[in-house]
Amino acid sequence: MSGFYVLDVPEFAPVVAAAKVIKRCRVYPSRGGYIFVQFDGEVEITRAARGLGEAVWFGCMTGGLDGRIIAFDPERIKLAPTNEPVIVTQERLSRSSGR
């Protein structure tokens, strides 16, 4: 599972809105001031379509990314999954340490 975290402030709302219409994305409710956007497969978001200024655009991934950036320029960001777990449970930690 891969995804990215978006700070839950009005300036970044267009990024979340873009993710909501991408079939490969699932947007989770805000938690701790961040919105988690999970994606399966490559996804692309364009800046112009979202009406974001460059300063906000280049800050849209500062919340964190569990995935890989394929392209990130003034007009688009393209992300790919890494298929690594986002949340590591205690059970998974115990199995990996041999307990």
Side-chain angles (χ1 to χ4, degrees), residues 43-65:
V43 296
E44 183 173 304
I45 298 173
T46 57
R47 182 180 69 85
R50 300 291 111 204
L52 293 169
E54 282 191 13
V56 173
W57 176 249
F58 283 113
C60 72
M61 289 290 120
T62 58
L65 170 66

Side-chain angles (χ1 to χ4, degrees), residues 61-85:
M61 289 290 120
T62 58
L65 170 66
D66 293 309
R68 186 169 51 103
I69 296 174
I70 295 174
F72 195 3
D73 59 44
E75 299 309 319
R76 70 185 179 119
I77 184 166
K78 189 170 186 178
L79 306 171
T82 57
N83 297 319
E84 296 173 5

